[in-house]
Amino acid sequence: MTPKELVLDFYKNDVILNQSEVNEFLHPDLIIEWNSSKGFVQMDRQDVLNLTLDLKKAYVRSKMRITHVIEEGSMVSIRYSHFVKTFENPREEMLLAHFFVIWEVKDNKLYRGYQMSQFN
């Protein structure tokens, strides 16, 4: 699997809501540096798995609308908008945020992520 294929598989619908699926994509030494409109956060593998559980509690569906993907060697850049459906209103799709991420892939796993997001 190419790094681009790996990243695209990670951003398929509802993967982020399934901790066991997410776990399969993450390198043991994963680090994500995330700059958001609320500030800077550095996350390790366990933080991402915990986030997956939190998202699963809040949302019934998750969809990424990808607009750009660029691969260069083991690095993949992706730009997407993240949409969710809540338990309270599962028929209405809500924009959660816009994201841009640069991923470094190592050992066919997501190894380093440099992410920026802006909430709607």
Side-chain angles (χ1 to χ4, degrees):
M1 180 179 301
T2 69
K4 181 178 176 180
E5 290 169 337
L6 176 76
V7 170
L8 287 173
D9 279 353
F10 181 69
Y11 288 102
K12 283 185 178 175
N13 294 346
D14 292 334
V15 168
I16 196 69
L17 301 180
N18 185 325
Q19 188 181 48
S20 63
E21 273 191 80
V22 169
N23 188 45
E24 294 299 313
F25 286 93
L26 306 182
H27 192 279
D29 299 322
L30 171 90
I31 297 290
I32 297 176
E33 295 180 4
W34 182 356
N35 291 284
S36 76
S37 53
K38 294 186 178 186
F40 177 79
V41 176
Q42 185 169 334
M43 300 173 74
D44 64 15
R45 186 172 198 266
Q46 191 58 54
D47 294 330
V48 174
L49 294 173
N50 292 343
L51 177 63
T52 297
L53 290 177
D54 291 342
L55 291 172
K56 178 69 176 169
K57 290 176 188 174
Y59 305 113
V60 65
R61 295 278 307 181
S62 173
K63 181 193 290 186
M64 314 301 184
R65 291 205 181 123
I66 299 168
T67 58
H68 298 81
V69 181
I70 300 169
E71 177 184 35
E72 185 175 311
S74 64
M75 304 293 284
V76 179
S77 299
I78 186 165
R79 181 176 175 253
Y80 66 94
S81 298
H82 188 176
F83 291 85
V84 292
K85 291 183 179 183
T86 64
F87 285 99
E88 294 82 15
N89 194 357
R91 288 189 238 172
E92 183 179 342
E93 193 172 71
M94 176 179 82
L95 175 62
L96 190 59
H98 302 287
F99 291 84
F100 178 80
V101 189
I102 301 170
W103 279 110
E104 180 182 352
V105 175
K106 180 178 176 182
D107 303 328
N108 208 31
K109 303 278 186 184
L110 301 174
Y111 176 63
R112 293 285 182 264
Y114 307 93
Q115 177 167 286
M116 295 180 73
S117 65
Q118 181 176 1
F119 296 98
N120 194 28

